[in-house]
Amino acid sequence: MGLFVASLEAHLTAEDVVNLEACMDCKRCGDACAWYLGTGEEKLHPTYKTNFVRDIYRRYMTLEGKIAGPLGLIPTPTADDLREHMASFWHCTACGRCTLACPAGLSTRSLVRMARAAYTDSGLSQENATLNSIIKNLETVNHSFGLTIPHVLVRYSLFLCHQDIELPVDIQGAEILFVCPSAANTRIPDYATKVMELLNAANVDYTVSSRIAETGTEADHIVVHHELARKILEDWENEAERLGVKQVMVAECGCDTRSLFFEAQEILGRPFKFPVVLFDAVLLEAIEKGGLPVEKTDKTITLHDPCHSTRLAGQGDLMRELLHACTTNFIEMTPNREYNYCCNGGAGGLRLPENAPVRRQVSVFKANQIKNTQADYVTTPCVVCMLTLDDVCKTYNLGKQAEGERAAIMMFEVVYEAVRNALERVGQLDRLRTPMQLRGRNEDFLRVHSSSGKVVQFLQSSLAPQILTWLDNDEVVKRYFKAHPDAVAKLDEFKAVHTRWAEQGEKIELCPNIQRRVPDAVLI
């Protein structure tokens, strides 16, 4: 209990004191919480969590409690009580919707985050296998799912090389540093190649880093490990300084949006050193200025507002402007914007497998929202939201997508379809393939700074056998091969590169059999 209380004392703010002291226990916060409304379970009511934190605060952190507690005049929570209540703090997505229903505007979300940090600082959260794996993976390989940078880059490169797409790596003096969230480079890297294609087509001056594996979303929002989150933010800053970039780009991730615009200053104790730009904002600007052509899709699409992007970061208008630029049949769900129901997957809702039965049950509210629009697809600018909505659509049999398609899609996939249609019509699909920073470069430069150069460095190393075996068994790779059967040959090429190097000492500099277009011929 001592470590838990010490953490609360270390992170308690004046706002948190108000949140603890001003609650009237009217329980109206429960009127906005899908987890409570969908089950009627008191342990899932927001006040079950906040009242427990309040009991600890009053007993151990106030003068009255330190006197009255030993006399038995007020409750004295114990370590056993901490364990009993722990799961309730992760039966919650910290979405902030409950605050909208609170007459005093108190933040349950803030207290949940503070309690999660205390569970982590006290070591109790590590008793949960998933939470423990997130912490250990971040401590050992700087990736919450346990992927190393070679794993991330080689798998991406497999998909990119198959599609004749290049990715800029470690480009000194690029305008923007782009870092991918762990959920994206773990769960949807086969879809996320479209992100690189859009940046290429929009002529964005960007680079990725070979030293940063992910953004730290799960450190900040699931385990709320302030030290790990601080280290990852500082790694971003150090890489941005090393590469001499001017801005850092946030991908389509609700938690990253909230972190970089708000949480970073709290974690670092100072402003983040670099301006932050949103991926979707960059695309919208390119479309509005005529640099990125679009031919609007006529698919019927509705939008799910990620809580951390809209309610907690104010980006709802940006999403709608981008959708209106790329679609002809966008339908709002009701309620929407800051009043939208949570997908129930963020900040641990999806990540913890034990949550699945309840998460699916309480997602009936989100399912009804989608169903009532009669849209064929639901889109969202957040990886975790999309993955959760995909599960919701399958659970409740929603959407009228074509065979083999998902009913839940990323917003970048909507933009990609509109852009690809426009480029194909004018014969400029090559714009999708080559990044601005790699156009007109010689092979020596490509060997060091392109994905097709980086991948052969890993394939011609002792790391290759383990990575190639992993690729053979990886479910994402199998999914990609199912959609692109000819890509199996590309993996065979990767294996051949390693075999020739290992057995014959033959060394190459760039990924073989990529149809490298003449970069200077790319039309802008």
Side-chain angles (χ1 to χ4, degrees):
M1 179 59 76
L3 292 175
F4 191 97
V5 173
S7 177
L8 292 182
E9 291 175 333
H11 298 121
L12 187 74
T13 67
E15 179 188 354
D16 293 324
V17 173
V18 173
N19 291 331
L20 289 165
E21 295 283 6
C23 177
M24 299 173 286
D25 204 27
C26 68
K27 297 189 179 296
R28 287 183 59 183
C29 50
D31 295 341
C33 177
W35 291 70
Y36 172 68
L37 293 174
T39 62
E41 173 60 55
E42 284 299 319
K43 288 186 176 182
L44 297 180
H45 195 286
T47 57
Y48 182 80
K49 296 178 275 288
T50 56
N51 285 342
F52 180 61
V53 175
R54 188 174 296 107
D55 286 345
I56 296 172
Y57 162 76
R58 287 178 174 167
R59 168 60 182 87
Y60 295 101
M61 299 170 64
T62 67
L63 178 60
E64 296 89 339
K66 291 175 182 179
I67 295 172
L71 298 176
L73 300 177
I74 63 172
T76 297
T78 66
D80 287 340
D81 294 322
L82 290 177
R83 288 185 170 88
E84 180 184 340
H85 283 76
M86 188 171 85
S88 70
F89 288 93
W90 279 270
H91 282 141
C92 170
T93 59
C95 76
R97 196 171 192 266
C98 48
T99 296
L100 299 178
C102 176
L106 303 180
S107 176
T108 297
R109 176 183 181 276
S110 179
L111 297 182
V112 167
R113 281 180 55 81
M114 185 170 65
R116 287 188 182 188
Y119 274 108
T120 293
D121 292 342
S122 64
L124 290 173
S125 68
Q126 288 89 319
E127 294 178 6
N128 177 281
T130 301
L131 300 178
N132 183 58
S133 72
I134 291 172
I135 294 170
K136 296 304 181 186
N137 287 336
L138 286 167
E139 290 175 338
T140 54
V141 296
N142 296 317
H143 192 287
S144 61
F145 285 85
L147 299 183
T148 67
I149 289 174
H151 284 86
V152 172
L153 281 176
V154 172
R155 184 168 62 175
Y156 261 128
S157 296
L158 173 64
F159 306 144
L160 293 169
C161 288
H162 171 249
Q163 299 175 57
D164 297 335
I165 302 165
E166 288 282 18
L167 176 69
V169 184
D170 294 338
I171 305 286
Q172 290 282 339
E175 177 75 17
I176 295 172
L177 172 63
F178 177 75
V179 184
C180 188
S182 61
N185 63 34
T186 301
R187 300 289 300 276
I188 64 163
D190 46 337
Y191 310 150
T193 56
K194 295 180 176 68
V195 170
M196 291 75 173
E197 292 183 77
L198 287 169
L199 293 173
N200 296 346
N203 204 33
V204 176
D205 183 2
Y206 77 104
T207 185
V208 302
S209 167
S210 65
R211 300 184 182 182
I212 301 180
E214 59 126 310
T215 60
T217 299
E218 298 197 335
D220 186 16
H221 291 276
I222 298 182
V223 296
V224 194
H225 194 308
H226 292 302
E227 290 305 313
L228 283 174
R230 180 182 295 111
K231 178 183 181 300
I232 294 169
L233 288 169
E234 290 172 346
D235 286 346
W236 275 42
E237 293 178 327
N238 293 338
E239 269 305 274
E241 289 174 342
R242 180 181 75 88
L243 295 172
V245 303
K246 297 180 178 63
Q247 301 178 87
V248 168
M249 179 182 289
V250 174
E252 288 189 347
C253 173
C255 288
D256 280 351
T257 301
R258 172 70 191 187
S259 288
L260 268 293
F261 281 100
F262 296 97
E263 249 74 78
Q265 181 160 330
E266 175 187 325
I267 293 168
L268 294 169
R270 56 170 172 79
F272 190 71
K273 290 182 180 179
F274 289 83
V276 176
V277 60
L278 292 173
F279 170 79
D280 287 336
V282 170
L283 295 185
L284 181 61
E285 182 180 14
I287 292 170
E288 291 178 339
K289 291 184 175 179
L292 191 62
V294 293
E295 188 171 296
K296 294 184 178 183
T297 175
D298 60 2
K299 289 179 177 177
T300 306
I301 296 174
T302 189
L303 169 67
H304 165 75
D305 286 274
C307 302
H308 287 76
S309 295
T310 298
R311 182 157 48 248
L312 300 175
Q315 299 301 319
D317 287 343
L318 169 63
M319 302 170 200
R320 286 158 176 81
E321 289 173 25
L322 188 55
L323 279 178
H324 283 303
C326 297
T327 66
T328 60
N329 203 357
F330 165 51
I331 303 172
E332 286 276 17
M333 64 174 66
T334 303
N336 54 61
R337 296 181 182 260
E338 64 267 28
Y339 291 97
N340 205 348
Y341 278 104
C342 183
C343 72
N344 302 310
L350 179 68
R351 188 71 156 90
L352 275 66
E354 61 267 28
N355 286 348
V358 177
R359 173 178 55 77
R360 288 175 176 140
Q361 178 183 347
V362 303
S363 291
V364 65
F365 298 100
K366 177 53 62 180
N368 286 337
Q369 280 189 284
I370 298 170
K371 181 180 180 180
N372 290 340
T373 67
Q374 298 186 349
D376 296 336
Y377 300 85
V378 55
T379 191
T380 185
C382 176
V383 177
V384 173
C385 289
M386 186 279 289
L387 292 169
T388 309
L389 293 171
D390 182 50
D391 186 63
V392 171
C393 290
K394 290 174 180 175
T395 300
Y396 290 91
N397 193 28
L398 302 173
K400 307 181 189 70
Q401 68 279 7
E403 182 68 27
E405 289 187 333
R406 289 167 286 120
I409 54 179
M410 294 295 295
M411 188 174 291
F412 68 71
E413 293 181 279
V414 178
V415 180
Y416 179 83
E417 180 177 332
V419 170
R420 186 178 179 89
N421 288 343
L423 293 177
E424 188 169 27
R425 181 168 49 80
V426 295
Q428 294 184 14
L429 284 177
D430 281 357
R431 284 181 54 178
L432 297 165
R433 304 180 189 281
T434 309
M436 189 188 97
Q437 280 283 358
L438 298 185
R439 295 175 193 148
R441 303 289 194 173
N442 59 33
E443 289 205 352
D444 287 340
F445 189 91
L446 293 175
R447 175 175 55 82
V448 178
H449 295 294
S450 72
S451 52
S452 63
K454 288 291 183 183
V455 69
V456 296
Q457 293 177 29
F458 292 126
L459 293 175
Q460 295 171 154
S461 76
S462 59
L463 298 173
Q466 191 275 332
I467 294 175
L468 290 169
T469 299
W470 173 70
L471 290 175
D472 272 332
N473 296 289
D474 179 56
E475 292 302 319
V476 174
V477 172
K478 292 177 182 178
R479 181 174 68 200
Y480 187 79
F481 286 169
K482 183 176 180 180
H484 307 277
D486 61 317
V488 176
K490 183 59 64 178
L491 180 55
D492 289 339
E493 290 176 14
F494 277 22
K495 293 175 180 177
V497 168
H498 174 68
T499 298
R500 289 194 296 268
W501 171 79
E503 296 180 359
Q504 304 168 26
E506 180 181 335
K507 192 170 184 178
I508 63 173
E509 304 295 342
L510 292 167
C511 184
N513 300 325
I514 290 184
Q515 300 177 35
R516 289 185 177 80
R517 274 67 178 176
V518 179
D520 291 336
V522 175
L523 300 175
I524 300 300

